Amino acid sequence: MYFHIILLLLGALCNKLSISERLHEQIYSSIEGGAACFRRLNGSHQAGCSSANNGAVGVVHFVIDQTDANWLVNNASAGPYMAIVSTMMFNQVIDTFLKQPGNIAGVLLFHNSSLGIFAFSQDSKCPNEYFSGPGSTCSSTESSASVWNERGSNLMRQDIPFPIFFLPESRLDEIKKIEECFQRFNRDIDNQNGRPLCSVQMHSFMFAAVDSTVCMRRSASSALITSAKVCDPLGDHNVYYSLLPLSKDTKKQVVMVTARIDSASLFDGMSPGAASSAVGMVTLITAAATLSQMIPAGKTYDKNVLWTLFNGETFDYIGSQKVAYDMRHGEWPSVAPLGFDDVVLYLELGQIGGSLLTHMEDDDWPLNIFAPIGANNLDVVSDIVNDMNVNLKLFNMSLQLTSTHNLPPSSLHSFRRTLQDIQEEKYGKNHSLADVNLDNVMPQMVLVDHNDHYTNMYYNSALDEYSKIGFDYHNISIGNDGTFISTKDLIANGTMKRTDSQVKISRLATAVARTLYKRVVGESYTGNVTASAHLVDEMLYCFLKSQACRLLLAADYAKSGSGEENLPEKPAPLYVGVAAWPGTAPVFAGHLLALLTGTHLKANRTQCEAMDKVQYSYYWLRGWNHSGVCIQTTMNFSQAISPAFTISNYDFTSGEFSTWTESVWRELWVRVFVSAGGGGARAAGIAGALVTVMAAVVTYWLRTRARYIFVDTPTGSLVSGDAATGILRTVNC
Amino acid sequence: MDLNRLPNDKKLQLCRWYFKVGCVFLPFVWAVNAIWFFREAFLKSPFEEQKQIKKYVLLSASGALVWAVALIAWVTVFQLQRASWGATGDALSFIVPLGRA
């Protein structure tokens, strides 16, 4: 009989083991592919989200409209709750949640484009407002002021008291999973108390707190136990490339053309930045490549063009602040430092790409140049605008000039602030004088595709994807020698249309290159070199869709092994990241510049690495046919780290330089499970208390009656022997 | 150790020794001394050394009390004010808490 029972038990055990699922996995279901909102800090505040150390738990509730949100913060009783919100509703309901966060454990944000959305930006209404140069009037606090980023909710710069995770559209099945669970357990919203409920747990605990001063101090402190880093400064690398070699001996006047590399969003690893930064960067690289083909090799001119890509601009202009600071101290570029007087023109490719989508049906791409015009730079600016206009008119594109001191957010602000500083040092704080002189030191222009407000409705957000600039990849192969099909041929054979974004960007690049050609050479360009929409197509694909693309495969470092290393099939992250690691985006941008503009030398790897002409850098890249090629280039990298972190004893509250840091975290995850109604736990608690009380009563009863129960206890028998007494004494003493 | 088994002179010796050890910033030894010899000092029927034991017990008790008050006051102030002390607060901390001020 017993044997049978044991067999039965063993059988049951084996059966359970064969399912071999751990209890943990039976309870929790992990939500994969979510991107967490994380914490960033500046000199005075902390911004972003953090969960508690052991995560945040809340009952699932789908917020379909404002009524649901109101119910959550006012009437829901089984809280705290995890609000599941679509991107469409997010801007609206997040305000409600932030005003009354008591009942909100966290927010799970998902994107479903079929719900429709027309604007989504968590950046400020006036991006980098507090680091704007003189003359800026954008104010995010005054409601009457005209603002650049009208749709900005400023959430990225706010301290959010609960965690938020973002699920991209590709992960919609996870939302379906949660919805099934929700429908099964939480449907009856009036009687949720005391029932098993579908719940979500989020873990995104951030180590850093308060502000950059505190977290940098704690990271540096050499405490005995906690010497762990809690935050890192944001930063990476700037990329610059000069048309002609820079040299200390023959100082040339320089035209600076700039754009920014980085974008950002509230969420980790989700900063596609299509219209925010990628279009500007691609235009710059394409224009640089085009101009290098227009200028005959070996000729010298007394003007040079310095193409510069700044990084970290989203966070109070990290890259350009560093460059402006170094230029002021005669340290940039390191080969042949420039002064502000050497810059005869500063042209920035600013916020462009936002209006591409609205002009998908016509040839036009209305561009705008913002320039602070004074008496001395009027000629230069109007010359450039005229030239550019002529070049753009050829392609039915238009350009207008806005003369103003209220410049849109751009790297130029860093230079204007530095110039103002220099002026004030010279003449004292006479602003009107400073203002006049400011515009004369270097003629400044910012090229954008908006007027008073951004046309980019997704500025620095997780939804600023390739579709927002109407990009449709054509996938045309590149010749073995790196030749691209010209825009003209592509349109002639019907591969592309004049309305395609690639075509428009290539035409803008052509116009920029031709305008600069005239500045450098002194006469209009008469040749037939134009920027290729094919190149633009490939480059946009690399930055917006997949790093495993033709251009980056050719521009990657050639590895010593024979095996082809696979680049990930996702876009390179454009978020600047922490300065501790070099980012992929600036490396790719730099290598592309080198590959497209540099001289391809006939040298093998060892010869290549041994070359050391001062004005050049040498890179051994894979090349167009992937066999390795030695490239001699004037492209170089420079640090993009805010001077705040390099100046010793810098006061982080002074507001002079960017002070952004990013918190360290250990892990980020979300999981869904059904939380118990609480009845079982209560029963166990009550039972435990009862048993304890009963045990106490019984013990007391036994004690009082010990005399009658343990009658035969031999007293003193233990200490009868001499040896035993000795032992007891020893123990006692 | 069972005090009851100890002769009175040994008790005094022990009590004095504990008091002296407590003088080198060991208030817990004072506290132990005060509690341990309380019965001998105040509740037992009088004996020759009791007066002196009483003295040491009282001294130990008041010393321990002063220490306790001072420590509790410091801990309270430190816990409440550490965050507002900024760099000093961090410097005084053995373990700096993560994720908050």
Side-chain angles (χ1 to χ4, degrees), chain A residues 33-47:
Chain A
C37 160
F38 56 99
R39 185 172 281 167
R40 277 182 283 246
L41 309 98
N42 67 10
S44 54
H45 291 87
Q46 62 181 31

PDB file of all heavy atoms in Angstrom, chain A residues 33-47:
ATOM      1  N   GLY A  33      11.603  44.350 -25.498  1.00  0.00           N
ATOM      2  CA  GLY A  33      11.714  45.406 -26.503  1.00  0.00           C
ATOM      3  C   GLY A  33      11.264  46.772 -26.037  1.00  0.00           C
ATOM      4  O   GLY A  33      11.141  47.685 -26.833  1.00  0.00           O
ATOM      5  N   GLY A  34      11.011  46.916 -24.744  1.00  0.00           N
ATOM      6  CA  GLY A  34      10.619  48.229 -24.227  1.00  0.00           C
ATOM      7  C   GLY A  34      11.841  49.099 -24.006  1.00  0.00           C
ATOM      8  O   GLY A  34      12.924  48.602 -23.721  1.00  0.00           O
ATOM      9  N   ALA A  35      11.671  50.407 -24.166  1.00  0.00           N
ATOM     10  CA  ALA A  35      12.767  51.343 -23.922  1.00  0.00           C
ATOM     11  C   ALA A  35      12.387  52.204 -22.726  1.00  0.00           C
ATOM     12  O   ALA A  35      11.319  52.792 -22.696  1.00  0.00           O
ATOM     13  CB  ALA A  35      13.004  52.216 -25.140  1.00  0.00           C
ATOM     14  N   ALA A  36      13.292  52.261 -21.764  1.00  0.00           N
ATOM     15  CA  ALA A  36      12.970  52.947 -20.519  1.00  0.00           C
ATOM     16  C   ALA A  36      13.289  54.424 -20.589  1.00  0.00           C
ATOM     17  O   ALA A  36      14.264  54.833 -21.220  1.00  0.00           O
ATOM     18  CB  ALA A  36      13.747  52.325 -19.369  1.00  0.00           C
ATOM     19  N   CYS A  37      12.447  55.203 -19.940  1.00  0.00           N
ATOM     20  CA  CYS A  37      12.767  56.600 -19.675  1.00  0.00           C
ATOM     21  C   CYS A  37      13.794  56.581 -18.548  1.00  0.00           C
ATOM     22  O   CYS A  37      13.613  55.880 -17.569  1.00  0.00           O
ATOM     23  CB  CYS A  37      11.488  57.312 -19.259  1.00  0.00           C
ATOM     24  SG  CYS A  37      11.722  58.845 -18.355  1.00  0.00           S
ATOM     25  N   PHE A  38      14.899  57.278 -18.736  1.00  0.00           N
ATOM     26  CA  PHE A  38      15.957  57.238 -17.723  1.00  0.00           C
ATOM     27  C   PHE A  38      16.271  58.641 -17.225  1.00  0.00           C
ATOM     28  O   PHE A  38      15.699  59.613 -17.690  1.00  0.00           O
ATOM     29  CB  PHE A  38      17.205  56.555 -18.278  1.00  0.00           C
ATOM     30  CG  PHE A  38      17.741  57.189 -19.529  1.00  0.00           C
ATOM     31  CD1 PHE A  38      18.820  58.068 -19.461  1.00  0.00           C
ATOM     32  CD2 PHE A  38      17.183  56.919 -20.761  1.00  0.00           C
ATOM     33  CE1 PHE A  38      19.320  58.654 -20.605  1.00  0.00           C
ATOM     34  CE2 PHE A  38      17.677  57.513 -21.905  1.00  0.00           C
ATOM     35  CZ  PHE A  38      18.738  58.379 -21.830  1.00  0.00           C
ATOM     36  N   ARG A  39      17.168  58.713 -16.268  1.00  0.00           N
ATOM     37  CA  ARG A  39      17.412  59.993 -15.602  1.00  0.00           C
ATOM     38  C   ARG A  39      18.653  60.686 -16.156  1.00  0.00           C
ATOM     39  O   ARG A  39      19.698  60.081 -16.342  1.00  0.00           O
ATOM     40  CB  ARG A  39      17.579  59.776 -14.102  1.00  0.00           C
ATOM     41  CG  ARG A  39      17.720  61.067 -13.323  1.00  0.00           C
ATOM     42  CD  ARG A  39      17.689  60.822 -11.843  1.00  0.00           C
ATOM     43  NE  ARG A  39      16.329  60.627 -11.346  1.00  0.00           N
ATOM     44  CZ  ARG A  39      16.040  60.160 -10.133  1.00  0.00           C
ATOM     45  NH1 ARG A  39      16.999  59.849  -9.310  1.00  0.00           N
ATOM     46  NH2 ARG A  39      14.778  60.028  -9.766  1.00  0.00           N
ATOM     47  N   ARG A  40      18.485  61.971 -16.462  1.00  0.00           N
ATOM     48  CA  ARG A  40      19.620  62.829 -16.813  1.00  0.00           C
ATOM     49  C   ARG A  40      19.634  63.989 -15.830  1.00  0.00           C
ATOM     50  O   ARG A  40      18.605  64.359 -15.302  1.00  0.00           O
ATOM     51  CB  ARG A  40      19.469  63.349 -18.243  1.00  0.00           C
ATOM     52  CG  ARG A  40      19.943  62.382 -19.298  1.00  0.00           C
ATOM     53  CD  ARG A  40      19.813  62.965 -20.682  1.00  0.00           C
ATOM     54  NE  ARG A  40      18.438  62.919 -21.140  1.00  0.00           N
ATOM     55  CZ  ARG A  40      18.015  62.185 -22.164  1.00  0.00           C
ATOM     56  NH1 ARG A  40      18.861  61.466 -22.852  1.00  0.00           N
ATOM     57  NH2 ARG A  40      16.751  62.198 -22.517  1.00  0.00           N
ATOM     58  N   LEU A  41      20.809  64.530 -15.606  1.00  0.00           N
ATOM     59  CA  LEU A  41      20.911  65.610 -14.626  1.00  0.00           C
ATOM     60  C   LEU A  41      21.702  66.765 -15.212  1.00  0.00           C
ATOM     61  O   LEU A  41      22.596  66.561 -16.041  1.00  0.00           O
ATOM     62  CB  LEU A  41      21.609  65.111 -13.359  1.00  0.00           C
ATOM     63  CG  LEU A  41      21.052  63.812 -12.755  1.00  0.00           C
ATOM     64  CD1 LEU A  41      21.900  62.631 -13.198  1.00  0.00           C
ATOM     65  CD2 LEU A  41      21.008  63.880 -11.255  1.00  0.00           C
ATOM     66  N   ASN A  42      21.379  67.985 -14.789  1.00  0.00           N
ATOM     67  CA  ASN A  42      22.207  69.125 -15.154  1.00  0.00           C
ATOM     68  C   ASN A  42      22.619  69.867 -13.882  1.00  0.00           C
ATOM     69  O   ASN A  42      22.444  69.344 -12.782  1.00  0.00           O
ATOM     70  CB  ASN A  42      21.490  70.029 -16.159  1.00  0.00           C
ATOM     71  CG  ASN A  42      20.276  70.715 -15.570  1.00  0.00           C
ATOM     72  OD1 ASN A  42      20.044  70.673 -14.377  1.00  0.00           O
ATOM     73  ND2 ASN A  42      19.491  71.353 -16.422  1.00  0.00           N
ATOM     74  N   GLY A  43      23.155  71.045 -14.041  1.00  0.00           N
ATOM     75  CA  GLY A  43      23.722  71.757 -12.903  1.00  0.00           C
ATOM     76  C   GLY A  43      22.739  72.055 -11.786  1.00  0.00           C
ATOM     77  O   GLY A  43      23.141  72.284 -10.647  1.00  0.00           O
ATOM     78  N   SER A  44      21.440  72.057 -12.097  1.00  0.00           N
ATOM     79  CA  SER A  44      20.495  72.445 -11.061  1.00  0.00           C
ATOM     80  C   SER A  44      19.377  71.435 -10.827  1.00  0.00           C
ATOM     81  O   SER A  44      18.703  71.502  -9.819  1.00  0.00           O
ATOM     82  CB  SER A  44      19.865  73.793 -11.425  1.00  0.00           C
ATOM     83  OG  SER A  44      19.312  73.715 -12.714  1.00  0.00           O
ATOM     84  N   HIS A  45      19.159  70.500 -11.743  1.00  0.00           N
ATOM     85  CA  HIS A  45      18.000  69.625 -11.625  1.00  0.00           C
ATOM     86  C   HIS A  45      18.305  68.193 -12.005  1.00  0.00           C
ATOM     87  O   HIS A  45      19.308  67.913 -12.657  1.00  0.00           O
ATOM     88  CB  HIS A  45      16.871  70.113 -12.541  1.00  0.00           C
ATOM     89  CG  HIS A  45      16.256  71.389 -12.108  1.00  0.00           C
ATOM     90  ND1 HIS A  45      16.770  72.607 -12.480  1.00  0.00           N
ATOM     91  CD2 HIS A  45      15.181  71.649 -11.336  1.00  0.00           C
ATOM     92  CE1 HIS A  45      16.034  73.564 -11.953  1.00  0.00           C
ATOM     93  NE2 HIS A  45      15.058  73.019 -11.256  1.00  0.00           N
ATOM     94  N   GLN A  46      17.374  67.316 -11.638  1.00  0.00           N
ATOM     95  CA  GLN A  46      17.349  65.982 -12.219  1.00  0.00           C
ATOM     96  C   GLN A  46      16.141  65.920 -13.139  1.00  0.00           C
ATOM     97  O   GLN A  46      15.118  66.517 -12.857  1.00  0.00           O
ATOM     98  CB  GLN A  46      17.281  64.904 -11.138  1.00  0.00           C
ATOM     99  CG  GLN A  46      16.019  64.949 -10.266  1.00  0.00           C
ATOM    100  CD  GLN A  46      16.011  63.870  -9.205  1.00  0.00           C
ATOM    101  OE1 GLN A  46      17.054  63.465  -8.722  1.00  0.00           O
ATOM    102  NE2 GLN A  46      14.827  63.396  -8.858  1.00  0.00           N
ATOM    103  N   ALA A  47      16.299  65.212 -14.262  1.00  0.00           N
ATOM    104  CA  ALA A  47      15.197  65.099 -15.209  1.00  0.00           C
ATOM    105  C   ALA A  47      15.055  63.646 -15.621  1.00  0.00           C
ATOM    106  O   ALA A  47      16.018  62.894 -15.584  1.00  0.00           O
ATOM    107  CB  ALA A  47      15.469  65.970 -16.433  1.00  0.00           C
TER     108      ALA A  47
END
